PDB file of all heavy atoms in Angstrom:
ATOM      1  N   LEU A  78      81.425 183.435 145.251  1.00 96.00           N
ATOM      2  CA  LEU A  78      80.831 183.550 146.587  1.00 96.00           C
ATOM      3  C   LEU A  78      80.029 184.826 146.803  1.00 96.00           C
ATOM      4  O   LEU A  78      79.082 184.826 147.591  1.00 96.00           O
ATOM      5  CB  LEU A  78      81.932 183.469 147.652  1.00 96.00           C
ATOM      6  CG  LEU A  78      82.748 182.175 147.687  1.00 96.00           C
ATOM      7  CD1 LEU A  78      83.872 182.296 148.698  1.00 96.00           C
ATOM      8  CD2 LEU A  78      81.851 180.989 148.006  1.00 96.00           C
ATOM      9  N   PHE A  79      80.428 185.906 146.128  1.00 96.00           N
ATOM     10  CA  PHE A  79      79.822 187.200 146.424  1.00 96.00           C
ATOM     11  C   PHE A  79      79.116 187.830 145.234  1.00 96.00           C
ATOM     12  O   PHE A  79      78.642 188.961 145.315  1.00 96.00           O
ATOM     13  CB  PHE A  79      80.890 188.156 146.981  1.00 96.00           C
ATOM     14  CG  PHE A  79      81.581 187.609 148.196  1.00 96.00           C
ATOM     15  CD1 PHE A  79      82.888 187.162 148.124  1.00 96.00           C
ATOM     16  CD2 PHE A  79      80.913 187.512 149.410  1.00 96.00           C
ATOM     17  CE1 PHE A  79      83.526 186.631 149.231  1.00 96.00           C
ATOM     18  CE2 PHE A  79      81.542 186.977 150.530  1.00 96.00           C
ATOM     19  CZ  PHE A  79      82.849 186.540 150.446  1.00 96.00           C
ATOM     20  N   GLY A  80      79.052 187.115 144.119  1.00 96.00           N
ATOM     21  CA  GLY A  80      78.341 187.611 142.943  1.00 96.00           C
ATOM     22  C   GLY A  80      78.965 188.832 142.294  1.00 96.00           C
ATOM     23  O   GLY A  80      78.282 189.587 141.608  1.00 96.00           O
ATOM     24  N   GLN A  81      80.258 189.022 142.481  1.00 95.00           N
ATOM     25  CA  GLN A  81      80.942 190.169 141.898  1.00 95.00           C
ATOM     26  C   GLN A  81      81.255 189.871 140.435  1.00 95.00           C
ATOM     27  O   GLN A  81      81.806 188.830 140.109  1.00 95.00           O
ATOM     28  CB  GLN A  81      82.215 190.478 142.686  1.00 95.00           C
ATOM     29  CG  GLN A  81      81.916 190.855 144.116  1.00 95.00           C
ATOM     30  CD  GLN A  81      83.163 190.941 144.987  1.00 95.00           C
ATOM     31  OE1 GLN A  81      84.251 190.562 144.589  1.00 95.00           O
ATOM     32  NE2 GLN A  81      82.985 191.445 146.199  1.00 95.00           N
ATOM     33  N   LYS A  82      80.882 190.780 139.571  1.00 95.00           N
ATOM     34  CA  LYS A  82      81.044 190.590 138.128  1.00 95.00           C
ATOM     35  C   LYS A  82      82.412 191.076 137.664  1.00 95.00           C
ATOM     36  O   LYS A  82      82.991 191.993 138.236  1.00 95.00           O
ATOM     37  CB  LYS A  82      79.959 191.363 137.369  1.00 95.00           C
ATOM     38  CG  LYS A  82      78.544 191.019 137.795  1.00 95.00           C
ATOM     39  CD  LYS A  82      78.183 189.606 137.435  1.00 95.00           C
ATOM     40  CE  LYS A  82      76.734 189.336 137.788  1.00 95.00           C
ATOM     41  NZ  LYS A  82      76.517 188.090 138.438  1.00 95.00           N
ATOM     42  N   LEU A  83      82.906 190.448 136.607  1.00 94.00           N
ATOM     43  CA  LEU A  83      84.160 190.851 135.986  1.00 94.00           C
ATOM     44  C   LEU A  83      83.865 191.271 134.548  1.00 94.00           C
ATOM     45  O   LEU A  83      83.256 190.511 133.795  1.00 94.00           O
ATOM     46  CB  LEU A  83      85.153 189.687 135.992  1.00 94.00           C
ATOM     47  CG  LEU A  83      85.587 189.177 137.362  1.00 94.00           C
ATOM     48  CD1 LEU A  83      86.379 187.894 137.224  1.00 94.00           C
ATOM     49  CD2 LEU A  83      86.391 190.233 138.093  1.00 94.00           C
ATOM     50  N   ASP A  84      84.269 192.485 134.183  1.00 96.00           N
ATOM     51  CA  ASP A  84      84.052 192.935 132.806  1.00 96.00           C
ATOM     52  C   ASP A  84      85.192 192.441 131.909  1.00 96.00           C
ATOM     53  O   ASP A  84      86.113 191.757 132.360  1.00 96.00           O
ATOM     54  CB  ASP A  84      83.887 194.458 132.735  1.00 96.00           C
ATOM     55  CG  ASP A  84      85.107 195.220 133.221  1.00 96.00           C
ATOM     56  OD1 ASP A  84      86.183 194.616 133.400  1.00 96.00           O
ATOM     57  OD2 ASP A  84      84.987 196.441 133.409  1.00 96.00           O
ATOM     58  N   ALA A  85      85.119 192.780 130.633  1.00 97.00           N
ATOM     59  CA  ALA A  85      86.110 192.297 129.667  1.00 97.00           C
ATOM     60  C   ALA A  85      87.524 192.758 130.022  1.00 97.00           C
ATOM     61  O   ALA A  85      88.481 191.988 129.889  1.00 97.00           O
ATOM     62  CB  ALA A  85      85.731 192.762 128.261  1.00 97.00           C
ATOM     63  N   ALA A  86      87.659 194.003 130.476  1.00 97.00           N
ATOM     64  CA  ALA A  86      88.987 194.502 130.837  1.00 97.00           C
ATOM     65  C   ALA A  86      89.554 193.720 132.030  1.00 97.00           C
ATOM     66  O   ALA A  86      90.746 193.390 132.048  1.00 97.00           O
ATOM     67  CB  ALA A  86      88.918 195.993 131.157  1.00 97.00           C
ATOM     68  N   ALA A  87      88.721 193.407 133.008  1.00 95.00           N
ATOM     69  CA  ALA A  87      89.173 192.633 134.163  1.00 95.00           C
ATOM     70  C   ALA A  87      89.584 191.229 133.736  1.00 95.00           C
ATOM     71  O   ALA A  87      90.618 190.711 134.181  1.00 95.00           O
ATOM     72  CB  ALA A  87      88.072 192.556 135.213  1.00 95.00           C
ATOM     73  N   MET A  88      88.806 190.626 132.853  1.00 96.00           N
ATOM     74  CA  MET A  88      89.146 189.286 132.368  1.00 96.00           C
ATOM     75  C   MET A  88      90.452 189.308 131.565  1.00 96.00           C
ATOM     76  O   MET A  88      91.282 188.405 131.694  1.00 96.00           O
ATOM     77  CB  MET A  88      88.008 188.721 131.514  1.00 96.00           C
ATOM     78  CG  MET A  88      86.734 188.462 132.302  1.00 96.00           C
ATOM     79  SD  MET A  88      86.950 187.245 133.609  1.00 96.00           S
ATOM     80  CE  MET A  88      87.178 185.760 132.655  1.00 96.00           C
ATOM     81  N   ALA A  89      90.651 190.355 130.755  1.00 97.00           N
ATOM     82  CA  ALA A  89      91.897 190.479 129.993  1.00 97.00           C
ATOM     83  C   ALA A  89      93.083 190.632 130.946  1.00 97.00           C
ATOM     84  O   ALA A  89      94.139 190.014 130.740  1.00 97.00           O
ATOM     85  CB  ALA A  89      91.818 191.669 129.036  1.00 97.00           C
ATOM     86  N   GLY A  90      92.928 191.442 131.975  1.00 95.00           N
ATOM     87  CA  GLY A  90      93.993 191.622 132.958  1.00 95.00           C
ATOM     88  C   GLY A  90      94.325 190.329 133.680  1.00 95.00           C
ATOM     89  O   GLY A  90      95.500 189.999 133.886  1.00 95.00           O
ATOM     90  N   ILE A  91      93.296 189.573 134.042  1.00 95.00           N
ATOM     91  CA  ILE A  91      93.519 188.279 134.691  1.00 95.00           C
ATOM     92  C   ILE A  91      94.238 187.337 133.731  1.00 95.00           C
ATOM     93  O   ILE A  91      95.137 186.590 134.132  1.00 95.00           O
ATOM     94  CB  ILE A  91      92.187 187.697 135.201  1.00 95.00           C
ATOM     95  CG1 ILE A  91      91.693 188.525 136.397  1.00 95.00           C
ATOM     96  CG2 ILE A  91      92.330 186.226 135.581  1.00 95.00           C
ATOM     97  CD1 ILE A  91      90.278 188.210 136.836  1.00 95.00           C
ATOM     98  N   GLY A  92      93.878 187.392 132.464  1.00 96.00           N
ATOM     99  CA  GLY A  92      94.577 186.585 131.459  1.00 96.00           C
ATOM    100  C   GLY A  92      96.049 186.932 131.380  1.00 96.00           C
ATOM    101  O   GLY A  92      96.911 186.054 131.240  1.00 96.00           O
ATOM    102  N   LEU A  93      96.372 188.218 131.468  1.00 97.00           N
ATOM    103  CA  LEU A  93      97.771 188.642 131.447  1.00 97.00           C
ATOM    104  C   LEU A  93      98.514 188.163 132.691  1.00 97.00           C
ATOM    105  O   LEU A  93      99.697 187.795 132.613  1.00 97.00           O
ATOM    106  CB  LEU A  93      97.862 190.164 131.313  1.00 97.00           C
ATOM    107  CG  LEU A  93      97.435 190.724 129.958  1.00 97.00           C
ATOM    108  CD1 LEU A  93      97.335 192.251 130.023  1.00 97.00           C
ATOM    109  CD2 LEU A  93      98.393 190.285 128.864  1.00 97.00           C
ATOM    110  N   ILE A  94      97.836 188.165 133.828  1.00 95.00           N
ATOM    111  CA  ILE A  94      98.453 187.653 135.058  1.00 95.00           C
ATOM    112  C   ILE A  94      98.782 186.174 134.894  1.00 95.00           C
ATOM    113  O   ILE A  94      99.887 185.726 135.219  1.00 95.00           O
ATOM    114  CB  ILE A  94      97.534 187.887 136.274  1.00 95.00           C
ATOM    115  CG1 ILE A  94      97.438 189.383 136.589  1.00 95.00           C
ATOM    116  CG2 ILE A  94      98.031 187.105 137.496  1.00 95.00           C
ATOM    117  CD1 ILE A  94      96.338 189.748 137.563  1.00 95.00           C
ATOM    118  N   VAL A  95      97.826 185.411 134.376  1.00 95.00           N
ATOM    119  CA  VAL A  95      98.057 183.979 134.139  1.00 95.00           C
ATOM    120  C   VAL A  95      99.214 183.785 133.162  1.00 95.00           C
ATOM    121  O   VAL A  95     100.080 182.928 133.371  1.00 95.00           O
ATOM    122  CB  VAL A  95      96.767 183.286 133.651  1.00 95.00           C
ATOM    123  CG1 VAL A  95      97.038 181.859 133.202  1.00 95.00           C
ATOM    124  CG2 VAL A  95      95.702 183.308 134.748  1.00 95.00           C
ATOM    125  N   ALA A  96      99.253 184.593 132.108  1.00 96.00           N
ATOM    126  CA  ALA A  96     100.347 184.504 131.144  1.00 96.00           C
ATOM    127  C   ALA A  96     101.689 184.776 131.824  1.00 96.00           C
ATOM    128  O   ALA A  96     102.685 184.093 131.553  1.00 96.00           O
ATOM    129  CB  ALA A  96     100.129 185.473 129.990  1.00 96.00           C
ATOM    130  N   GLY A  97     101.733 185.751 132.710  1.00 94.00           N
ATOM    131  CA  GLY A  97     102.963 186.054 133.445  1.00 94.00           C
ATOM    132  C   GLY A  97     103.405 184.896 134.325  1.00 94.00           C
ATOM    133  O   GLY A  97     104.598 184.580 134.406  1.00 94.00           O
TER     134      GLY A  97
END
Side-chain angles (χ1 to χ4, degrees):
L78 299 175
F79 304 108
Q81 298 170 351
K82 305 293 184 224
L83 297 171
D84 61 13
M88 294 298 291
I91 290 170
L93 290 170
I94 291 167
V95 171

